[in-house]
Every structure is written in structure tokens, then in C-alpha cells.
Amino acid sequence: MPLIEYKQFIQAPIEVCFDVARGFGNHSQTPLKARGKAVAGISNSLPGEGDWVSWECVHFGIKQRITSRIIFMEKPHSFVEKMVKGPFKSFIYIHQFIEEEKGTTMIDHIQYHLWLGPIGVLMDKWFLAKYIKKIIVTRSIDLKQIAEIKTNQTFD
């Protein structure tokens, strides 16, 4: 099962970072809005454990609908999203937040499993892992900017 991890330091309090990351409405403020939009479930408020959202998005020219549910939450340190319907055999997204002296380190962990057996493994090695990592990096940079603006700090 592939694992992707990305860390981003944010000059903002842990509570702000946690809320910005779980706020589905924040996606409309970022370039990721072009990739998808929330179409069902909790989409304009801060979700809690058990809440879900369905996204319509286009990847590789194919329109897809993905539904994920928050299966665990420990405010303001972590929450876990699990895909319950979508193109992967399984997809778990772990969001972790560590309070630092001058801000917060946000760590994203993504574990997923593709359908198609050996073909899925090859697809992952050839392009999918890089594609998912690029989306996560872009999302992290966007959320960093939103969190730092919310706390009126200058970001680099």
C-alpha cells in the first residue's frame, strides 16, 4: 500500500491550522477549486467526526465523484478521512498538527490501494504517486497561505 507524506510549517496557531485544514469551504479559496467542488454532505462548515462530503472532480480528463468521511478526530492535533466511495480500493488521509514555538507543523499522510492488481502497481509507479503528491503539496501551500492570512502574519 503506497504511502505519501508531506510536511508544511505554518506561522499560525495550531487551532487555526486545524480548522483551515478541515474546512471544506476553504477549497473554494484555493487553486484546487478548479479540480473539484463539494456537491453533497458537509461543505460549508467545519466537519466533525462522522461527517462526510462528496466531491466532483476531474482527474486525467475523467469526471469522478469521491465521498469521504471523517472517521477520527482529536482536536486540534489530528483527523482522519477515509474514502467510502470513489476510484480507489482504499484511500486514507491522515492530517496531523504539531504545535511549534513559532507556529505549527502540518503533516499529511496518505495511504491508498488501487484496483487492478499489478496494473495498478505499475500505474502508481509510473505517474499516480507523483500526481497525488503534487496535489497534496499544492493544497498544503494554499492552506498555509489561508492560515497565515487569518492570523495576520507575513508568510514567505
Side-chain angles (χ1 to χ4, degrees):
M1 181 180 290
L3 172 66
I4 296 173
E5 181 179 284
Y6 184 73
K7 295 181 182 182
Q8 178 72 59
F9 180 76
I10 304 170
Q11 293 178 328
I14 191 170
E15 295 83 3
V16 171
C17 297
F18 184 82
D19 286 346
V20 165
R22 71 184 171 118
F24 296 134
N26 288 325
H27 292 282
S28 65
Q29 300 175 36
T30 72
L32 291 178
K33 68 182 174 189
R35 295 194 183 272
K37 63 180 178 175
V39 294
I42 301 274
S43 60
N44 290 319
S45 63
L46 294 176
E49 191 170 324
D51 289 335
W52 62 275
V53 67
S54 289
W55 298 94
E56 279 189 357
C57 49
V58 177
H59 295 286
F60 304 110
I62 301 168
K63 187 175 183 178
Q64 301 173 30
R65 183 175 256 199
I66 300 168
T67 301
S68 63
R69 179 178 303 278
I70 295 179
I71 61 169
F72 173 81
M73 183 174 288
E74 182 185 335
K75 294 179 189 179
H77 301 286
S78 65
F79 67 98
V80 179
E81 294 179 69
K82 180 179 181 181
M83 184 196 75
V84 294
K85 187 175 181 184
F88 293 86
K89 188 172 184 179
S90 66
F91 193 98
I92 304 276
Y93 192 159
I94 302 166
H95 307 263
Q96 184 179 11
F97 305 87
I98 300 170
E99 194 166 20
E100 307 283 352
E101 185 178 328
K102 295 186 178 187
T104 303
T105 298
M106 180 175 71
I107 308 170
D108 291 323
H109 308 268
I110 294 178
Q111 300 171 330
Y112 59 94
H113 189 76
L114 298 169
W115 300 100
L116 307 173
I119 295 171
V121 171
L122 289 175
M123 288 172 46
D124 187 60
K125 288 186 186 296
W126 287 338
F127 63 88
L128 191 60
K130 291 177 195 158
Y131 184 76
I132 292 172
K133 177 85 176 224
K134 182 179 177 181
I135 291 171
I136 296 313
V137 169
T138 301
R139 177 186 178 276
S140 293
I141 292 168
D142 293 343
L143 295 179
K144 170 184 172 66
Q145 291 177 353
I146 293 168
E148 290 177 344
I149 288 169
K150 284 185 183 258
T151 58
N152 296 318
Q153 294 182 345
T154 305
F155 50 90
D156 45 21

